[in-house]
Amino acid sequence: MVKAANSRGAAPGTPPRTRILVVGGGYVGMYTALRLQRKLRAGEAEVTVVTPEPYMTYQPFLPEAAAGSISPRHVVVPLRRVLGRCRIVIGEARHIDHAKRTATVTTLATDEEGTGGVEIEYDELVLAPGSISRTLPIPGLADYGIGFKTVEEAIGLRNHVIEQMDIASSTRDPAIRDAALTFVFVGGGYAGVEALGELEDMARYAARYYHNVKPEDMKWVLVEASDRILPEVGPEMGVYTIRELRRRNIDLRLETRLESCEDRVAVLSDGTRFPTRTVVWTAGVKPHPILAATDLPKNGRGRLACTAFLTVEGVEHAWAAGDAAAVPDITAEAGRECAPNAQHAVRQAKVLADNLVASLRGELLTEYAHKYAGSVASLGLHKGVAHIYGRKLKGYPAWFMHRAYHLSRVPTFNRKMRVLAEWSLSGLFKREIVSLGSLEHPRAEFELAAGGRPKDPPPRPAPNPPQDSQG
């Protein structure tokens, strides 16, 4: 174990600066650090952000990135650019001992050096690692399933869908063709519905450039364990979404579960079998594993037990928000918690940062209170649903509101202008339908030219033990 040099940065005779450690570079991590660097006085504190990626992903734009409406680089925000007054450490927090105020972190450098983790000392901890996909031990899922939580997965899925159309166009085997043109999505929440809606829209457009693939040749299936989809937009808009998707010949299977996808065959709980080369898993999330490697109190679902001030319950100098935190919703009935979504995460980050600064200065803290405003969802180009402040919208108005809302929320003026420019240009020119699947194996051609054989891609990790049911 190596202890990292973590100077307090104080001149002789002056009080040491408070060391603030932010674990996570997502919504909460980035917005908290951004507000801290704006509100802290010079020399008052030093902020270190530990994150596995050097960027924050704006996840509501992943479906549009997968459909080619937005460039992947505009879906992410480079942390080093926006957090210029923070220290950025690209690595994974493996263990946190809050009693000793230390976090054990592994980085690319520690992997190369073989020295094990680095200990980072801190005075104040902001734990915001987010969540990971919640998987189940379904046969074949680890081998053939595709996630939809990162920009890499979104672009990989886009490449995969177009490649399946290429396979279907060139094969003479009807079984291979049918499997290539069957796309199964598991999970009827935002991620599943928006990803399916955008990709089906994109694939239907791309089919016009294939001489022997028509939109009606493709089979799109949405599997949801509950009796409705998009519960956030309300029952009425959920029913409208079902009608809209079925009008596009999308096969919705409600109250149905995926039981197996071994040998490229999706087997559902209603007995249906779909030979398919595409199974997209979007059936929920679970707390990040780092939470289990801390000495902080957690609730029954593995999230950090927090107060409305966004402090960890019963612990001093520890703060949390977002997916990792169980924050009481004081605007609802007693016992309710804030939903783990971006709407709360961004607002919680602001209150968390303000409270942390107030705590350092001996000032009063503020409770987090935000009445849920509603939800918007895209179902493809010019199609959407919305339920905002009691108003229900569908079709083009909902789609426009979806874009306007997320354009206002994507971080930095730079990103807003780039996204707006891309949307404007896409209205003037045709869609891009190019697959760049070779990006996933960039050395394959050189290895072949050098006389070797392209290496097989590494096996996917085994699924995590179940914590919840599907859907």
Side-chain angles (χ1 to χ4, degrees), residues 399-449:
W399 172 83
F400 183 83
M401 178 173 283
H402 173 270
R403 282 200 162 184
Y405 173 79
H406 286 301
L407 183 66
S408 71
R409 292 299 174 183
V410 69
T412 78
F413 180 77
N414 177 297
R415 282 295 175 273
K416 294 181 197 298
M417 290 301 100
R418 289 178 182 272
V419 170
L420 182 59
E422 283 199 300
W423 281 343
S424 300
L425 289 173
S426 66
L428 301 175
F429 300 100
K430 296 180 179 180
R431 282 179 185 255
E432 293 288 348
I433 56 166
V434 177
S435 167
L436 297 176
S438 58
L439 288 176
E440 298 169 28
H441 311 291
R443 294 191 67 247
E445 184 175 348
F446 182 79
E447 289 173 353
L448 187 62

Side-chain angles (χ1 to χ4, degrees), residues 262-464:
E262 282 187 306
D263 302 321
R264 296 190 182 276
V265 176
V267 181
L268 307 185
S269 59
D270 62 5
T272 310
R273 300 169 64 89
F274 292 106
T276 179
R277 301 170 62 89
T278 309
V279 175
V280 183
W281 182 266
T282 64
V285 296
K286 65 181 180 181
H288 195 283
I290 183 58
L291 300 187
T294 73
D295 54 352
L296 299 172
K298 291 168 280 291
N299 68 4
R301 296 178 66 85
R303 299 167 72 195
L304 293 174
C306 293
T307 70
F309 298 104
L310 303 176
T311 59
V312 178
E313 204 168 75
V315 180
E316 294 183 341
H317 309 294
W319 311 76
D323 290 358
V327 179
D329 187 351
I330 63 174
T331 68
E333 62 265 23
R336 286 281 299 275
E337 296 175 356
C338 295
N341 57 34
Q343 185 176 147
H344 281 297
V346 173
R347 291 169 173 82
Q348 287 174 356
K350 177 181 177 181
V351 174
L352 191 158
D354 289 349
N355 279 349
L356 204 165
V357 173
S359 173
L360 297 180
R361 298 172 183 172
E363 300 170 356
L364 293 177
L365 307 188
T366 303
E367 288 187 317
Y368 172 74
H370 171 66
K371 192 170 180 60
Y372 194 59
S375 301
V376 291
S378 170
L379 304 179
L381 190 63
H382 301 161
K383 296 176 282 288
V385 290
H387 189 182
I388 304 292
Y389 295 114
R391 295 179 63 87
K392 300 168 186 175
L393 299 173
K394 56 189 178 184
Y396 185 89
W399 172 83
F400 183 83
M401 178 173 283
H402 173 270
R403 282 200 162 184
Y405 173 79
H406 286 301
L407 183 66
S408 71
R409 292 299 174 183
V410 69
T412 78
F413 180 77
N414 177 297
R415 282 295 175 273
K416 294 181 197 298
M417 290 301 100
R418 289 178 182 272
V419 170
L420 182 59
E422 283 199 300
W423 281 343
S424 300
L425 289 173
S426 66
L428 301 175
F429 300 100
K430 296 180 179 180
R431 282 179 185 255
E432 293 288 348
I433 56 166
V434 177
S435 167
L436 297 176
S438 58
L439 288 176
E440 298 169 28
H441 311 291
R443 294 191 67 247
E445 184 175 348
F446 182 79
E447 289 173 353
L448 187 62
R453 188 177 69 85
K455 296 179 181 178
D456 295 328
R460 296 178 185 268
N464 296 302

Side-chain angles (χ1 to χ4, degrees), residues 186-195 222 224 228-232 282-284 471:
V186 183
Y190 276 121
V193 172
E194 290 194 326
L222 179 62
E224 166 57 36
R228 60 177 178 165
I229 63 174
L230 290 182
E232 299 88 351
T282 64

Side-chain angles (χ1 to χ4, degrees), residues 41-111:
R41 305 186 188 108
E44 187 174 9
E46 58 183 14
V47 181
T48 299
V49 179
V50 174
T51 173
E53 304 292 348
Y55 52 79
M56 186 274 267
T57 302
Y58 191 71
Q59 291 185 335
F61 279 161
L62 289 183
E64 292 206 45
S69 299
I70 302 177
S71 297
R73 66 184 184 280
H74 298 158
V75 177
V76 298
V77 180
L79 295 178
R80 295 189 190 279
R81 174 182 291 179
V82 299
L83 301 179
R85 292 171 54 195
C86 300
R87 176 189 173 211
I88 307 296
V89 177
I90 306 303
E92 290 271 7
R94 302 295 183 183
H95 179 75
I96 294 175
D97 188 339
H98 190 65
K100 296 181 179 179
R101 304 289 194 275
T102 61
T104 304
V105 177
T106 57
T107 67
L108 294 177
T110 59
D111 291 342

